[in-house]
PDB file of all heavy atoms in Angstrom:
ATOM      1  N   ASP E  10      21.609  42.238  -0.417  1.00  0.00           N
ATOM      2  CA  ASP E  10      20.428  41.402  -0.206  1.00  0.00           C
ATOM      3  C   ASP E  10      19.623  41.265  -1.483  1.00  0.00           C
ATOM      4  O   ASP E  10      19.460  42.204  -2.237  1.00  0.00           O
ATOM      5  CB  ASP E  10      19.559  41.947   0.924  1.00  0.00           C
ATOM      6  CG  ASP E  10      19.424  43.454   0.896  1.00  0.00           C
ATOM      7  OD1 ASP E  10      19.022  43.985  -0.145  1.00  0.00           O
ATOM      8  OD2 ASP E  10      19.738  44.095   1.913  1.00  0.00           O
ATOM      9  N   ARG E  41      23.467  48.167   2.705  1.00  0.00           N
ATOM     10  CA  ARG E  41      22.347  49.080   2.487  1.00  0.00           C
ATOM     11  C   ARG E  41      21.379  49.181   3.658  1.00  0.00           C
ATOM     12  O   ARG E  41      20.825  50.229   3.931  1.00  0.00           O
ATOM     13  CB  ARG E  41      21.580  48.672   1.223  1.00  0.00           C
ATOM     14  CG  ARG E  41      20.547  49.685   0.768  1.00  0.00           C
ATOM     15  CD  ARG E  41      19.500  49.052  -0.106  1.00  0.00           C
ATOM     16  NE  ARG E  41      18.981  47.841   0.497  1.00  0.00           N
ATOM     17  CZ  ARG E  41      18.095  47.821   1.478  1.00  0.00           C
ATOM     18  NH1 ARG E  41      17.603  48.947   1.952  1.00  0.00           N
ATOM     19  NH2 ARG E  41      17.705  46.688   2.007  1.00  0.00           N
ATOM     20  N   SER E  45      24.408  54.287   4.318  1.00  0.00           N
ATOM     21  CA  SER E  45      24.093  54.959   3.061  1.00  0.00           C
ATOM     22  C   SER E  45      25.298  54.987   2.135  1.00  0.00           C
ATOM     23  O   SER E  45      25.210  55.385   0.988  1.00  0.00           O
ATOM     24  CB  SER E  45      23.618  56.390   3.334  1.00  0.00           C
ATOM     25  OG  SER E  45      22.449  56.367   4.106  1.00  0.00           O
ATOM     26  N   GLU E 103      -0.040  31.217 -12.346  1.00  0.00           N
ATOM     27  CA  GLU E 103      -1.144  31.010 -11.416  1.00  0.00           C
ATOM     28  C   GLU E 103      -0.890  31.767 -10.109  1.00  0.00           C
ATOM     29  O   GLU E 103      -1.757  32.460  -9.588  1.00  0.00           O
ATOM     30  CB  GLU E 103      -1.312  29.500 -11.180  1.00  0.00           C
ATOM     31  CG  GLU E 103      -2.546  29.104 -10.397  1.00  0.00           C
ATOM     32  CD  GLU E 103      -2.314  29.111  -8.886  1.00  0.00           C
ATOM     33  OE1 GLU E 103      -1.198  28.767  -8.442  1.00  0.00           O
ATOM     34  OE2 GLU E 103      -3.247  29.484  -8.171  1.00  0.00           O
ATOM     35  N   TYR E 107      -2.890  34.833  -8.379  1.00  0.00           N
ATOM     36  CA  TYR E 107      -3.520  34.675  -7.065  1.00  0.00           C
ATOM     37  C   TYR E 107      -3.196  35.873  -6.172  1.00  0.00           C
ATOM     38  O   TYR E 107      -4.061  36.399  -5.483  1.00  0.00           O
ATOM     39  CB  TYR E 107      -3.052  33.383  -6.379  1.00  0.00           C
ATOM     40  CG  TYR E 107      -3.646  33.236  -4.998  1.00  0.00           C
ATOM     41  CD1 TYR E 107      -4.986  32.887  -4.843  1.00  0.00           C
ATOM     42  CD2 TYR E 107      -2.912  33.516  -3.856  1.00  0.00           C
ATOM     43  CE1 TYR E 107      -5.564  32.803  -3.589  1.00  0.00           C
ATOM     44  CE2 TYR E 107      -3.484  33.436  -2.596  1.00  0.00           C
ATOM     45  CZ  TYR E 107      -4.808  33.078  -2.466  1.00  0.00           C
ATOM     46  OH  TYR E 107      -5.375  33.010  -1.222  1.00  0.00           O
ATOM     47  N   TYR E 109      -1.727  38.948  -7.119  1.00  0.00           N
ATOM     48  CA  TYR E 109      -1.866  40.302  -7.663  1.00  0.00           C
ATOM     49  C   TYR E 109      -3.043  40.506  -8.590  1.00  0.00           C
ATOM     50  O   TYR E 109      -3.224  41.601  -9.133  1.00  0.00           O
ATOM     51  CB  TYR E 109      -0.571  40.706  -8.364  1.00  0.00           C
ATOM     52  CG  TYR E 109       0.579  40.800  -7.407  1.00  0.00           C
ATOM     53  CD1 TYR E 109       1.528  39.795  -7.337  1.00  0.00           C
ATOM     54  CD2 TYR E 109       0.702  41.883  -6.555  1.00  0.00           C
ATOM     55  CE1 TYR E 109       2.571  39.860  -6.434  1.00  0.00           C
ATOM     56  CE2 TYR E 109       1.732  41.963  -5.649  1.00  0.00           C
ATOM     57  CZ  TYR E 109       2.675  40.945  -5.599  1.00  0.00           C
ATOM     58  OH  TYR E 109       3.693  41.020  -4.704  1.00  0.00           O
ATOM     59  N   CYS E 137      18.319  29.256   8.353  1.00  0.00           N
ATOM     60  CA  CYS E 137      17.239  30.247   8.278  1.00  0.00           C
ATOM     61  C   CYS E 137      16.749  30.525   9.685  1.00  0.00           C
ATOM     62  O   CYS E 137      15.849  29.860  10.160  1.00  0.00           O
ATOM     63  CB  CYS E 137      16.094  29.711   7.410  1.00  0.00           C
ATOM     64  SG  CYS E 137      14.661  30.807   7.308  1.00  0.00           S
ATOM     65  N   ASN E 199      14.848  23.709  21.374  1.00  0.00           N
ATOM     66  CA  ASN E 199      13.776  24.573  21.858  1.00  0.00           C
ATOM     67  C   ASN E 199      12.398  23.937  21.703  1.00  0.00           C
ATOM     68  O   ASN E 199      11.389  24.636  21.666  1.00  0.00           O
ATOM     69  CB  ASN E 199      13.828  25.926  21.152  1.00  0.00           C
ATOM     70  CG  ASN E 199      14.955  26.786  21.687  1.00  0.00           C
ATOM     71  OD1 ASN E 199      14.840  27.361  22.759  1.00  0.00           O
ATOM     72  ND2 ASN E 199      16.064  26.829  20.963  1.00  0.00           N
ATOM     73  N   ASN E 201      11.064  22.359  19.206  1.00  0.00           N
ATOM     74  CA  ASN E 201      10.433  22.278  17.895  1.00  0.00           C
ATOM     75  C   ASN E 201      11.163  21.237  17.051  1.00  0.00           C
ATOM     76  O   ASN E 201      12.237  20.779  17.430  1.00  0.00           O
ATOM     77  CB  ASN E 201      10.444  23.654  17.209  1.00  0.00           C
ATOM     78  CG  ASN E 201       9.216  23.871  16.358  1.00  0.00           C
ATOM     79  OD1 ASN E 201       8.755  22.966  15.663  1.00  0.00           O
ATOM     80  ND2 ASN E 201       8.669  25.075  16.408  1.00  0.00           N
ATOM     81  N   LYS E 234       6.090  16.783   1.730  1.00  0.00           N
ATOM     82  CA  LYS E 234       5.441  18.082   1.850  1.00  0.00           C
ATOM     83  C   LYS E 234       6.222  18.973   2.818  1.00  0.00           C
ATOM     84  O   LYS E 234       6.411  20.157   2.607  1.00  0.00           O
ATOM     85  CB  LYS E 234       4.012  17.855   2.352  1.00  0.00           C
ATOM     86  CG  LYS E 234       3.179  19.083   2.551  1.00  0.00           C
ATOM     87  CD  LYS E 234       2.501  19.497   1.263  1.00  0.00           C
ATOM     88  CE  LYS E 234       1.738  20.785   1.399  1.00  0.00           C
ATOM     89  NZ  LYS E 234       0.485  20.636   2.106  1.00  0.00           N
TER      90      LYS E 234
ATOM     91  N   THR V  13      18.425  53.886   1.448  1.00  0.00           N
ATOM     92  CA  THR V  13      19.266  53.132   2.393  1.00  0.00           C
ATOM     93  C   THR V  13      18.721  53.291   3.812  1.00  0.00           C
ATOM     94  O   THR V  13      17.881  54.139   4.079  1.00  0.00           O
ATOM     95  CB  THR V  13      20.713  53.646   2.348  1.00  0.00           C
ATOM     96  OG1 THR V  13      20.688  55.040   2.597  1.00  0.00           O
ATOM     97  CG2 THR V  13      21.340  53.349   1.005  1.00  0.00           C
ATOM     98  N   GLY V  17      14.522  46.687   3.185  1.00  0.00           N
ATOM     99  CA  GLY V  17      13.904  46.429   1.894  1.00  0.00           C
ATOM    100  C   GLY V  17      14.257  47.485   0.864  1.00  0.00           C
ATOM    101  O   GLY V  17      15.003  48.431   1.145  1.00  0.00           O
ATOM    102  N   HIS V  18      13.718  47.321  -0.335  1.00  0.00           N
ATOM    103  CA  HIS V  18      14.126  48.149  -1.464  1.00  0.00           C
ATOM    104  C   HIS V  18      13.036  49.108  -1.912  1.00  0.00           C
ATOM    105  O   HIS V  18      11.954  48.690  -2.306  1.00  0.00           O
ATOM    106  CB  HIS V  18      14.514  47.253  -2.653  1.00  0.00           C
ATOM    107  CG  HIS V  18      15.581  46.266  -2.299  1.00  0.00           C
ATOM    108  ND1 HIS V  18      15.644  45.001  -2.816  1.00  0.00           N
ATOM    109  CD2 HIS V  18      16.643  46.373  -1.452  1.00  0.00           C
ATOM    110  CE1 HIS V  18      16.689  44.378  -2.306  1.00  0.00           C
ATOM    111  NE2 HIS V  18      17.300  45.179  -1.484  1.00  0.00           N
ATOM    112  N   ARG V  49      -1.071  28.486   0.602  1.00  0.00           N
ATOM    113  CA  ARG V  49      -2.187  27.600   0.271  1.00  0.00           C
ATOM    114  C   ARG V  49      -1.752  26.142   0.321  1.00  0.00           C
ATOM    115  O   ARG V  49      -0.733  25.766  -0.244  1.00  0.00           O
ATOM    116  CB  ARG V  49      -2.744  27.943  -1.115  1.00  0.00           C
ATOM    117  CG  ARG V  49      -3.479  29.282  -1.136  1.00  0.00           C
ATOM    118  CD  ARG V  49      -3.735  29.709  -2.543  1.00  0.00           C
ATOM    119  NE  ARG V  49      -2.471  29.745  -3.296  1.00  0.00           N
ATOM    120  CZ  ARG V  49      -2.394  29.675  -4.619  1.00  0.00           C
ATOM    121  NH1 ARG V  49      -3.492  29.546  -5.336  1.00  0.00           N
ATOM    122  NH2 ARG V  49      -1.221  29.726  -5.226  1.00  0.00           N
ATOM    123  N   GLY V  50      -2.538  25.348   1.032  1.00  0.00           N
ATOM    124  CA  GLY V  50      -2.229  23.924   1.138  1.00  0.00           C
ATOM    125  C   GLY V  50      -1.376  23.586   2.354  1.00  0.00           C
ATOM    126  O   GLY V  50      -1.195  22.427   2.690  1.00  0.00           O
ATOM    127  N   ARG V  62       9.023  34.172   8.248  1.00  0.00           N
ATOM    128  CA  ARG V  62      10.058  34.466   7.230  1.00  0.00           C
ATOM    129  C   ARG V  62       9.642  35.616   6.316  1.00  0.00           C
ATOM    130  O   ARG V  62      10.374  35.947   5.371  1.00  0.00           O
ATOM    131  CB  ARG V  62      10.362  33.216   6.394  1.00  0.00           C
ATOM    132  CG  ARG V  62      11.476  32.351   6.967  1.00  0.00           C
ATOM    133  CD  ARG V  62      11.074  31.616   8.199  1.00  0.00           C
ATOM    134  NE  ARG V  62      12.178  30.883   8.810  1.00  0.00           N
ATOM    135  CZ  ARG V  62      12.100  30.282   9.991  1.00  0.00           C
ATOM    136  NH1 ARG V  62      10.990  30.333  10.694  1.00  0.00           N
ATOM    137  NH2 ARG V  62      13.145  29.656  10.494  1.00  0.00           N
ATOM    138  N   ILE V 161      11.438  30.192  17.722  1.00  0.00           N
ATOM    139  CA  ILE V 161      11.280  28.744  17.572  1.00  0.00           C
ATOM    140  C   ILE V 161      10.120  28.180  18.387  1.00  0.00           C
ATOM    141  O   ILE V 161       9.330  27.396  17.889  1.00  0.00           O
ATOM    142  CB  ILE V 161      12.590  28.023  17.978  1.00  0.00           C
ATOM    143  CG1 ILE V 161      13.747  28.463  17.068  1.00  0.00           C
ATOM    144  CG2 ILE V 161      12.416  26.505  17.900  1.00  0.00           C
ATOM    145  CD1 ILE V 161      15.121  28.043  17.543  1.00  0.00           C
ATOM    146  N   THR V 169       6.406  25.519  22.978  1.00  0.00           N
ATOM    147  CA  THR V 169       6.980  24.177  23.023  1.00  0.00           C
ATOM    148  C   THR V 169       8.024  24.075  24.125  1.00  0.00           C
ATOM    149  O   THR V 169       8.469  22.985  24.474  1.00  0.00           O
ATOM    150  CB  THR V 169       7.633  23.787  21.685  1.00  0.00           C
ATOM    151  OG1 THR V 169       8.674  24.725  21.401  1.00  0.00           O
ATOM    152  CG2 THR V 169       6.629  23.808  20.551  1.00  0.00           C
ATOM    153  N   ASP V 380      -6.966  29.855   1.641  1.00  0.00           N
ATOM    154  CA  ASP V 380      -6.895  31.244   1.223  1.00  0.00           C
ATOM    155  C   ASP V 380      -6.150  32.045   2.286  1.00  0.00           C
ATOM    156  O   ASP V 380      -6.374  31.825   3.472  1.00  0.00           O
ATOM    157  CB  ASP V 380      -8.331  31.778   1.142  1.00  0.00           C
ATOM    158  CG  ASP V 380      -8.566  32.538  -0.149  1.00  0.00           C
ATOM    159  OD1 ASP V 380      -7.570  32.896  -0.802  1.00  0.00           O
ATOM    160  OD2 ASP V 380      -9.742  32.764  -0.477  1.00  0.00           O
ATOM    161  N   PHE V 434       3.321  43.800  -2.473  1.00  0.00           N
ATOM    162  CA  PHE V 434       3.578  45.038  -3.180  1.00  0.00           C
ATOM    163  C   PHE V 434       3.625  44.718  -4.661  1.00  0.00           C
ATOM    164  O   PHE V 434       3.948  43.603  -5.055  1.00  0.00           O
ATOM    165  CB  PHE V 434       4.926  45.628  -2.782  1.00  0.00           C
ATOM    166  CG  PHE V 434       4.871  46.324  -1.471  1.00  0.00           C
ATOM    167  CD1 PHE V 434       5.715  45.967  -0.446  1.00  0.00           C
ATOM    168  CD2 PHE V 434       3.969  47.341  -1.265  1.00  0.00           C
ATOM    169  CE1 PHE V 434       5.655  46.605   0.773  1.00  0.00           C
ATOM    170  CE2 PHE V 434       3.909  47.983  -0.045  1.00  0.00           C
ATOM    171  CZ  PHE V 434       4.755  47.614   0.981  1.00  0.00           C
ATOM    172  N   LEU V 435       3.339  45.699  -5.469  1.00  0.00           N
ATOM    173  CA  LEU V 435       3.380  45.465  -6.905  1.00  0.00           C
ATOM    174  C   LEU V 435       4.678  45.978  -7.492  1.00  0.00           C
ATOM    175  O   LEU V 435       5.319  46.858  -6.960  1.00  0.00           O
ATOM    176  CB  LEU V 435       2.200  46.153  -7.579  1.00  0.00           C
ATOM    177  CG  LEU V 435       0.821  45.649  -7.182  1.00  0.00           C
ATOM    178  CD1 LEU V 435      -0.217  46.290  -8.048  1.00  0.00           C
ATOM    179  CD2 LEU V 435       0.734  44.148  -7.284  1.00  0.00           C
TER     180      LEU V 435
END
Side-chain angles (χ1 to χ4, degrees):
Chain E
D10 41 55
R41 190 202 49 78
S45 298
E103 189 272 325
Y107 178 74
Y109 296 103
C137 177
N199 285 283
N201 214 319
K234 180 86 184 284
Chain V
T13 55
H18 304 145
R49 290 168 305 158
R62 270 72 185 172
I161 299 168
T169 60
D380 227 344
F434 282 124
L435 297 187

